């Protein structure tokens, strides 16, 4: 990689993580190496880029002005590398994927296993987050692509993958454990464990649409924590069907009397300019689900 590009990346990652140490880990450099590259930029440009403090580092006013240009140069360099990769064929590469836990657990192992059979020299970096975080990572260029709930931000290119049913989960001794379909109004009668973080998720939207005020006593983005809480009899919840595959918890799963869904897709900043490795990866999304054994 060109030395100037390395220095620009060092600056971008240091700002992204707010830390020389974390930027060094992300780029496989020493902390002193990252610090030296940024010092070189400051010397070369005769400006101060970062303010160093006990809580980390942040951009100076001068740094704020030049950072977008450094990001633009790195983005264009990535496009150049993509074209070179296509000329040489797919012998190596890195795919950076933003994902949430249910996709990471139930889809990605199957996709990557099939992909590796044909392209064994590709490496992967997986970042786990919620929908809002993954959107931001894609837009910032932190990841090449990300699994999201659709619809998402209009500036992203998306591929619709599946419609995932939302299901009610109950403790085994719940009075409605034997019902055929769970009544929507009953969602507001028990303590509720809400799967949500940051921006409003699909469960809260269902409550608003049905004019229900849930008794939310626990909110998290950890679906397994919610299942454990429900198993212990602390309340009820709603989770996507994909999360509820091969679960180790003793809980009851019920469909709602009025079916509800989330749409899952894959998003990219610009499908035309993703790397060759990502383009080939898209062809293997069909392997996300393995048919159930009879």
């Amino acid at each position: 990689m060109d030395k100037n590009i390395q220095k620009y990346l060092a600056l971008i990652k240091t700002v992204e993580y707010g830390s020389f140490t974390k930027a060094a880990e992300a780029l496989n450099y020493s902390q002193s190496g990252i610090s030296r590259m940024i010092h070189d930029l400051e010397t070369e440009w005769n400006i101060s880029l970062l303010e160093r403090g006990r809580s980390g580092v942040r951009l100076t006013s001068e740094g704020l002005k030049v950072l977008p240009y450094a990001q633009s140069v790195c983005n264009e360099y990535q496009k150049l590398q993509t074209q070179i990769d296509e000329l040489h064929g797919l012998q190596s590469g890195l795919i950076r994927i933003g994902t949430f836990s249910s996709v990471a657990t139930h889809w990605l192992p199957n996709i990557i296993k099939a992909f590796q059979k044909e392209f064994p020299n590709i490496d992967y970096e997986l970042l786990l987050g919620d929908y809002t975080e993954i959107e931001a990572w894609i837009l910032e260029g932190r990841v090449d692509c990300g699994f999201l709930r659709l619809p998402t931000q209009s500036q992203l290119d998306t591929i619709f993958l599946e419609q995932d049913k939302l299901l009610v989960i109950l403790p085994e001794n719940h009075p409605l454990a034997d019902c055929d379909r769970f009544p929507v109004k009953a969602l507001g009668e028990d303590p509720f464990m809400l799967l949500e973080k940051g921006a409003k998720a699909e469960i809260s939207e269902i409550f608003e649409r049905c004019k229900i005020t849930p008794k939310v006593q626990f909110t998290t983005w950890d679906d397994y924590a919610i299942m454990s809480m429900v198993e212990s009899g602390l309340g009820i919840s709603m989770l996507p069907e994909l999360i509820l595959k091969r679960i180790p918890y003793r809980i009851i799963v019920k469909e709602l009397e009025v079916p509800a869904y989330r749409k899952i897709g894959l998003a990219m900043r610009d499908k035309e300019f993703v790397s060759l490795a990502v383009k080939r990866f898209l062809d293997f999304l069909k392997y996300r689900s393995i048919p159930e054994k009879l």
Side-chain angles (χ1 to χ4, degrees), residues 147-185:
F147 292 89
L148 290 171
R149 180 183 64 145
L150 301 180
T152 184
Q153 297 194 35
S154 59
Q155 61 265 51
L156 296 178
D157 288 341
T158 60
I159 300 171
F160 169 74
L161 296 175
E162 283 191 24
Q163 189 165 259
D164 191 19
K165 188 177 292 185
L166 300 174
L167 302 172
V168 182
I169 60 170
L170 315 167
E172 290 185 322
N173 62 352
H174 192 276
L176 294 175
D178 294 326
C179 72
D180 183 30
R181 292 177 181 268
F182 196 84
V184 173
K185 290 184 178 179

Side-chain angles (χ1 to χ4, degrees), residues 46-263:
N46 195 28
I47 60 174
S48 175
L49 293 169
L50 298 174
E51 294 178 354
R52 286 95 166 157
R54 290 183 179 179
S55 59
V57 298
R58 62 179 184 177
L59 286 168
T60 62
S61 58
E62 294 171 318
L64 280 167
K65 291 179 180 178
V66 302
L67 181 66
Y69 296 99
Q71 291 172 324
S72 178
V73 169
C74 289
N75 289 336
E76 292 302 316
Y77 179 81
Q78 181 60 51
K79 293 176 184 178
L80 170 63
Q81 288 300 117
T82 297
Q83 294 302 313
I84 293 172
D85 287 343
E86 292 186 2
L87 290 172
H88 287 285
L90 193 57
Q91 299 301 318
S92 64
L94 172 68
I95 303 176
R96 303 166 302 162
I97 305 169
T99 182
F100 43 94
S101 60
S102 54
V103 166
T105 301
H106 300 295
W107 281 5
L108 278 173
N110 302 332
I111 296 170
I112 292 174
K113 183 177 181 180
F115 188 77
Q116 280 189 329
K117 289 180 180 179
E118 291 198 33
F119 306 105
N121 297 320
I122 301 299
D123 295 323
Y124 308 87
E125 181 183 353
L126 303 183
L127 271 69
L128 282 171
D130 62 33
Y131 305 137
T132 304
E133 289 172 326
I134 297 168
E135 284 178 344
W137 292 337
I138 299 169
L139 290 169
E140 293 165 3
R142 178 68 184 85
V143 296
D144 302 303
C145 58
F147 292 89
L148 290 171
R149 180 183 64 145
L150 301 180
T152 184
Q153 297 194 35
S154 59
Q155 61 265 51
L156 296 178
D157 288 341
T158 60
I159 300 171
F160 169 74
L161 296 175
E162 283 191 24
Q163 189 165 259
D164 191 19
K165 188 177 292 185
L166 300 174
L167 302 172
V168 182
I169 60 170
L170 315 167
E172 290 185 322
N173 62 352
H174 192 276
L176 294 175
D178 294 326
C179 72
D180 183 30
R181 292 177 181 268
F182 196 84
V184 173
K185 290 184 178 179
L187 290 172
E189 296 175 1
D190 292 278
F192 197 88
M193 310 291 145
L194 182 63
L195 182 71
E196 192 165 272
K197 174 185 172 185
K200 184 169 57 182
E202 56 270 345
I203 309 299
S204 291
E205 292 172 358
I206 291 172
F207 288 133
E208 288 185 5
R209 190 165 62 247
C210 298
K211 295 181 172 57
I212 295 171
T213 303
K215 302 174 182 177
V216 177
Q217 293 194 343
F218 186 82
T219 303
T220 181
W221 192 242
D222 187 334
D223 36 56
Y224 290 101
I226 283 184
M227 286 185 268
S228 181
M229 295 280 184
V230 171
E231 181 185 50
S232 298
L234 297 177
I236 68 173
S237 188
M238 286 185 66
L239 294 175
E241 188 173 20
L242 184 60
I243 292 172
L244 297 168
K245 294 181 181 291
R246 303 195 305 271
I247 56 172
Y249 299 96
R250 298 176 61 183
I251 55 178
I252 302 295
V253 179
K254 294 289 180 182
E255 291 192 24
L256 272 176
E257 62 180 356
V258 180
Y261 302 88
R262 67 171 176 176
K263 293 181 179 179

